[in-house]
Amino acid sequence: MEHGAPMLEVFGIWFNLSNVMMLLVAALIVFLIAFFATRNLQLKPTGMQNFMEWIMDFVKGIINSNMDWRDGGRFHVLGITLIMFIFVSNMLGLPFAIVVNDNLWWKSPTADPTVTMTLAAMVLILSHYYGIKLKGLKGYSAGYIKPMKFLFPLKVIEEFANTLTLGLRLYGNIYAGEILLTLLAGLASASIFGFAAAILPMMLWQGFSIFIGAIQAFIFVMLTMVYLSHKVADDH
Amino acid sequence: MFFDHLVLGATGEFLNIGDIIATLVIFILLMLLLKKFAWGPLMGVMQQREDLIKSEIETAENSRLESQKLLDEQRSLLKDARTQAQEIVENAKKQGEVSREEIITTARAESGRMKEAAVQEIANERDKAISAVREEVVALSLLAATKVLEKEISEEDNRQLINETIAKAGEVQ
C-alpha cells in the first residue's frame, strides 16, 4: 500500500515523474476532447459542440454569479480550462492505479499536494495581479483595510489561508478517495471472500468518487472566481 | 507509524520544484493551446450565433411592424374602394334616372312632331285633292257647256264665265 514515487533529479531540481506523466496525460485528454469537439463548428450546434457550449455556459454562469461580465469575461478561458483539467485529473485515478517497481505511476495528478497547491497559488497570484492591474496599486492596497483598519492582519492571513484551503481541499478529497480505493482493491485481491466483500463498496465508492471529482472541479473554479472577484470587482 | 505516508510531503524529503514547474508549464500551455484551437473558435461561433439571433429578432420585429403597416394601409384602401364603389353605383343610378327622363321626353316630343307632320300632310293632300277635283270639274263643265251650246265664245270669256259659275257653286256649298 505504501508506494514510493519515481523521483528524478535534473540540474538539482527534483521531478516526480509520475506527476509529470499524469499531468501530461490529463492535459492531452482535455486537449483532444476540446479539439475534436470544436472541429466543424456550426451555428446550429450538434453533438459534442453542444457539450462544449454547455461547459462554456456553465463556467460563464459561475463567473456571472460572482462578478460583472465586463470584469469577469477575461477569466472565461481560465475557468473552462481549469474545470476540464481538474475534472479529468480527478477521474484519471479512479479506474486503476499502476505500480511499477513499488513506484506509483498511474494516479490522479490532483492527488498530489504539490500539484494542487501550485494551481491554487497560481490562481491567488493571478487574483493579486489582476487586482493591481484593474484597480491600481492604491485601490488594491485599500482592499486590505476594508471595511476597518484593524482587520488588516486578518486580511493578510486570509490570503494565505485561501491559498492553502483551495489547494488542500482538492488534494484531500481526491487523495482520500484514492486511498480508500487502494484499500478496497487490496481487500479484493486478497482472497475470494475479500473480492466478494469488496465488490459492492468498491462500486459505491467509485460512483461517489466520480461525484466528488465533479463537485471538487466545480468548487475549485467557483472559489477561483470568488477570490478573483474579491480583488477585481468594485464592491463586495 | 502506519499513517506516516499520509503526511504532507511524504512522497519525498524534497520540495518538488520540478513538479511545480511542470504543473504550471503544462497547465498554461494547455490553456494557451485550447484558447487557440478550441475556446477561441467556439466563442467566435457562439458570439456569431448571438449576433445572428439578435439580428433575426430585429428583422422579425421590423417585418412585423411593416406587415402591420401594410395591413392598415390595405384596410383603409379597401374602405376607400368600398365608399367609392357605393358612390359610383349611386351616381349611375342618378344618371340612369336622368337619362330615362330625357329619353321619355325626347320620345314624347318626337311622337308629337310626327303626329303634327302627319296631320299637315293629310291636310295638304286634301287641299291638293280638292283643287284637282275643282280643275276636273271646270274642265268637265267647260266641255259640257261647249257641247251643249255649240256656241263660239272666246276663250277668255268662257273661262271667266266658268270661274264665276264655280265661285257661285262654292258659295252655294
Side-chain angles (χ1 to χ4, degrees):
Chain A
M1 222 172 63
E2 197 171 341
H3 305 298
M7 301 302 290
L8 179 75
E9 188 184 5
V10 181
F11 301 126
I13 298 174
W14 284 95
F15 287 87
N16 182 342
L17 289 183
S18 150
N19 278 344
V20 175
M21 184 189 82
M22 291 317 295
L23 283 167
L24 280 174
V25 169
L28 191 69
I29 290 173
V30 170
F31 181 76
L32 288 181
I33 290 175
F35 184 76
F36 286 111
T38 52
R39 291 310 90 189
N40 189 17
L41 288 172
Q42 279 153 357
L43 280 181
K44 248 197 233 168
T46 49
M48 284 301 280
Q49 194 189 338
N50 267 327
F51 176 65
M52 295 315 299
E53 288 190 6
W54 174 75
I55 294 180
M56 291 191 94
D57 281 338
F58 183 70
V59 175
K60 198 172 181 176
I62 295 176
I63 296 174
N64 273 331
S65 66
N66 283 304
M67 55 190 132
D68 197 62
W69 186 249
R70 199 164 38 80
D71 293 328
R74 74 191 81 224
F75 306 127
H76 201 188
V77 169
L78 172 75
I80 309 163
T81 314
L82 259 183
I83 202 169
M84 283 195 69
F85 185 69
I86 292 175
F87 178 74
V88 170
S89 298
N90 292 349
M91 292 303 111
L92 281 180
L94 287 189
F96 47 77
I98 297 178
V99 179
V100 180
N101 292 336
D102 212 28
N103 280 341
L104 179 62
W105 278 93
W106 188 281
K107 60 182 186 100
S108 285
T110 40
D112 186 285
T114 317
V115 173
T116 59
M117 285 305 297
T118 305
L119 290 176
M122 180 188 76
V123 165
L124 266 293
I125 289 168
L126 267 183
S127 78
H128 290 284
Y129 170 73
Y130 277 106
I132 294 173
K133 189 183 172 193
L134 293 183
K135 292 173 81 177
L137 203 55
K138 211 172 165 189
Y140 168 78
S141 313
Y144 284 98
I145 50 171
K146 272 190 209 165
M148 291 183 199
K149 269 191 177 159
F150 71 88
L151 286 175
F152 174 71
L154 284 178
K155 286 275 187 178
V156 174
I157 293 171
E158 187 193 357
E159 296 304 321
F160 290 101
N162 281 346
T163 319
L164 268 176
T165 54
L166 184 62
L168 292 185
R169 177 184 305 107
L170 178 60
Y171 158 70
N173 274 282
I174 305 308
Y175 189 58
E178 296 217 341
I179 292 275
L180 193 52
L181 278 182
T182 314
L183 286 170
L184 285 167
L187 174 63
S189 57
S191 67
I192 186 83
F193 300 108
F195 186 81
I199 187 160
L200 189 63
M202 188 83 165
M203 277 160 61
L204 282 176
W205 188 250
Q206 278 186 331
F208 188 60
S209 288
I210 292 174
F211 175 68
I212 292 281
I215 286 287
Q216 286 307 318
F218 166 67
I219 288 176
F220 195 94
V221 174
M222 185 62 150
L223 287 175
T224 296
M225 295 310 160
V226 169
Y227 297 152
L228 283 169
S229 77
H230 272 308
K231 295 279 176 238
V232 168
D234 289 326
D235 46 28
H236 225 284
Chain B
M1 280 283 286
F2 182 71
F3 290 112
D4 270 357
H5 67 283
L6 295 181
V7 173
L8 261 185
T11 44
E13 303 85 66
F14 334 94
L15 177 63
N16 299 335
I17 304 280
D19 287 8
I20 294 173
I21 294 170
T23 309
L24 278 178
V25 168
I26 288 171
F27 182 79
I28 289 169
L29 206 63
L30 176 71
M31 192 159 78
L32 292 179
L33 280 175
L34 283 181
K35 188 178 179 183
K36 179 152 173 45
F37 289 109
W39 309 146
L42 193 60
M43 280 171 179
V45 165
M46 287 172 87
Q47 186 62 42
Q48 216 174 317
R49 180 183 314 135
E50 208 169 284
D51 293 347
L52 181 76
I53 289 170
K54 216 178 271 172
S55 77
E56 286 290 307
I57 287 174
E58 221 156 85
T59 312
E61 183 67 21
N62 279 348
S63 54
R64 199 183 64 81
L65 286 178
E66 184 97 350
S67 58
Q68 185 64 40
K69 215 173 73 190
L70 278 178
L71 188 66
D72 286 349
E73 216 166 272
Q74 291 301 320
R75 219 171 251 161
S76 76
L77 273 181
L78 191 64
K79 213 162 129 195
D80 278 3
R82 208 167 269 160
T83 331
Q84 230 158 359
Q86 207 144 7
E87 222 163 85
I88 286 170
V89 168
E90 209 105 309
N91 274 356
K93 250 184 214 165
K94 230 177 267 172
Q95 192 72 31
E97 198 78 14
V98 168
S99 48
R100 193 171 69 107
E101 214 57 41
E102 207 169 291
I103 286 167
I104 288 173
T105 319
T106 317
R108 218 168 254 161
E110 184 79 5
S111 71
R113 216 179 56 232
M114 277 167 81
K115 210 167 91 183
E116 228 157 86
V119 167
Q120 191 75 31
E121 188 96 348
I122 288 166
N124 275 355
E125 288 298 315
R126 205 190 59 177
D127 284 359
K128 235 185 254 173
I130 285 172
S131 58
V133 168
R134 256 181 207 160
E135 298 269 321
E136 197 74 10
V137 167
V138 169
L140 279 177
S141 309
L142 195 56
L143 192 62
T146 316
K147 271 192 179 165
V148 170
L149 294 179
E150 294 266 54
K151 199 172 127 186
E152 278 294 322
I153 311 169
S154 75
E155 185 81 6
E156 201 175 319
D157 289 346
N158 203 7
R159 184 153 301 272
Q160 199 181 347
L161 187 67
I162 288 164
N163 276 347
E164 270 167 26
T165 315
I166 286 168
K168 266 178 207 162
E171 269 164 35
V172 172
Q173 265 184 343

